[in-house]
């Protein structure tokens, strides 16, 4: 049980009984299958929770109906002996008790509602914090493998584009000018050497 808790905190998948492999070693398909099974199990738990809540609500409504019936019976008894002063006092006492009981029930209902809201918020935060291993692995693969490969391909394409680009007229004229200057300087050097000899 402690191992299971530790694996849940780390976001690992459980050991598969058939393959005897841990979630970290499982293939992508196995991890997806385990995730779907886990999702089905959580959906089933949610359905059971909803059914339980409905049953509790039905039971509360039945108890309320019984209390109301008892209160009606008490009122009918109180109405029969309305002439008596005790009946009036009893009627007032019943009304006061009913008010207190209704107020208590409303406070209890509000408290339960607040507790449920807090529990749902906490569960939602826990699920948002939980990171699945396959998502982290995909991010690392994208950063370390796909992006560098893409950059290399871009650089190769840029170099090819420059290499196969047709020569511009301005470049051709510039090259011709440089060539003539070099030729002129070489001829000048040769001439000077001849004169020295």
């Amino acid at each position: 049980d402690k191992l299971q808790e530790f694996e849940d905190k780390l976001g690992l998948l459980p050991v598969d009984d058939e393959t005897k492999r841990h979630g970290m070693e499982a293939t992508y398909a196995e991890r997806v299958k385990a995730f779907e099974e886990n999702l089905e199990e959580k959906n089933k738990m949610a359905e059971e929770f909803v059914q339980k809540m409905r049953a509790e609500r039905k039971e509360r409504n039945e108890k309320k109906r019984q209390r109301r019936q008892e209160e009606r019976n008490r009122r009918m008894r109180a109405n029969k002996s309305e002439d008596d002063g005790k009946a009036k006092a009893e009627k007032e006492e019943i009304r006061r008790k009913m008010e207190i009981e209704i107020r208590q029930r409303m406070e209890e209902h509000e408290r339960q509602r607040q507790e449920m809201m807090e529990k749902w918020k906490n569960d939602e935060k826990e699920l948002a914090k939980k990171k699945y291993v396959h998502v982290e692995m995909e991010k690392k693969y994208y950063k370390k493998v796909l992006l560098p490969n893409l950059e290399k391909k871009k650089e190769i394409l840029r170099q090819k584009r420059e290499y196969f680009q047709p020569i511009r007229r301005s470049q051709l004229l510039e090259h011709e000018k440089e060539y003539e200057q070099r030729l002129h300087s070489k001829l000048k050097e040769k001439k000077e050497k001849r004169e020295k000899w």
Side-chain angles (χ1 to χ4, degrees):
D1 290 342
K2 289 189 177 182
L3 179 62
Q4 182 67 35
E5 269 182 51
F6 183 68
E7 287 177 349
D8 288 344
K9 284 180 184 176
L10 289 177
L12 299 175
L13 296 169
V15 175
D16 189 3
D17 292 331
E18 294 175 15
T19 60
K20 299 295 181 196
R21 291 195 298 182
H22 196 274
M24 290 292 284
E25 302 168 353
T27 63
Y28 181 76
E30 289 171 345
R31 284 185 270 132
V32 169
K33 181 182 174 189
F35 175 75
E36 287 173 352
E37 288 172 359
N38 194 10
L39 186 65
E40 287 175 13
E41 185 180 316
K42 289 200 177 190
N43 284 341
K44 188 175 180 183
M45 286 172 60
E47 285 176 18
E48 288 173 1
F49 177 74
V50 169
Q51 288 175 354
K52 183 180 173 186
M53 292 299 288
R54 284 180 183 158
E56 287 178 4
R57 187 187 304 147
K58 189 175 180 182
E59 190 178 319
R60 282 196 303 269
N61 288 340
E62 183 62 30
K63 284 181 182 177
K64 284 179 188 176
R65 192 185 64 72
Q66 287 176 357
R67 282 192 210 121
R68 286 187 201 128
Q69 186 63 40
E70 288 172 8
E71 290 301 323
R72 271 194 222 111
N73 292 341
R74 279 189 220 154
R75 281 188 213 144
M76 286 174 70
R77 276 182 262 144
N79 286 338
K80 286 179 185 175
S81 58
E82 206 170 57
D83 297 337
D84 196 305
K86 288 180 181 178
K88 285 183 182 179
E90 188 179 319
K91 197 174 182 181
E92 187 62 32
E93 182 66 21
I94 289 169
R95 190 183 65 73
R96 191 179 59 77
K97 282 181 182 178
M98 278 179 62
E99 285 176 0
I100 291 169
E101 189 179 335
I102 288 168
R103 196 176 304 119
Q104 286 174 347
R105 273 190 266 153
M106 285 173 67
E107 287 170 1
E108 179 66 20
H109 179 71
E110 183 62 26
R111 187 185 61 77
Q112 286 177 352
R113 193 179 70 79
Q114 288 292 334
E115 285 176 4
M116 289 298 290
M117 290 293 287
E118 287 296 319
K119 187 173 183 279
W120 284 342
K121 283 179 185 175
N122 289 337
D123 289 348
E124 190 176 20
K125 285 177 187 174
E126 286 296 319
L127 282 174
K129 286 178 188 174
K130 209 171 201 180
K131 291 184 179 176
Y132 292 101
V133 175
H134 72 279
V135 173
E136 291 298 315
M137 289 174 72
E138 283 177 11
K139 283 180 184 175
K140 285 180 185 175
Y141 176 76
Y142 183 76
K143 284 180 184 175
K144 291 184 178 179
V145 178
L146 287 182
L147 280 180
N149 283 346
L150 188 63
E151 290 300 320
K152 283 179 187 174
K153 285 180 183 177
K154 280 183 182 178
E155 181 60 26
I156 290 168
L157 285 172
R158 187 188 64 75
Q159 290 173 358
K160 284 182 180 179
R161 193 169 46 247
E162 283 180 10
Y163 183 75
F164 291 109
Q165 186 176 4
I167 298 171
R168 292 190 193 113
R169 178 167 171 74
S170 61
Q171 287 176 332
L172 191 61
L173 292 171
E174 191 177 322
H175 179 70
E176 184 182 2
K177 189 177 179 182
E178 285 176 14
Y179 177 75
E180 285 177 358
Q181 284 175 354
R182 278 195 304 240
L183 185 66
H184 183 70
S185 66
K186 281 185 181 180
L187 287 172
K188 193 175 181 181
E189 281 176 21
K190 281 182 181 179
K191 190 177 179 182
E192 286 175 2
K193 281 181 182 178
R194 271 193 227 136
E195 287 176 2
K196 283 181 181 179
W197 285 83

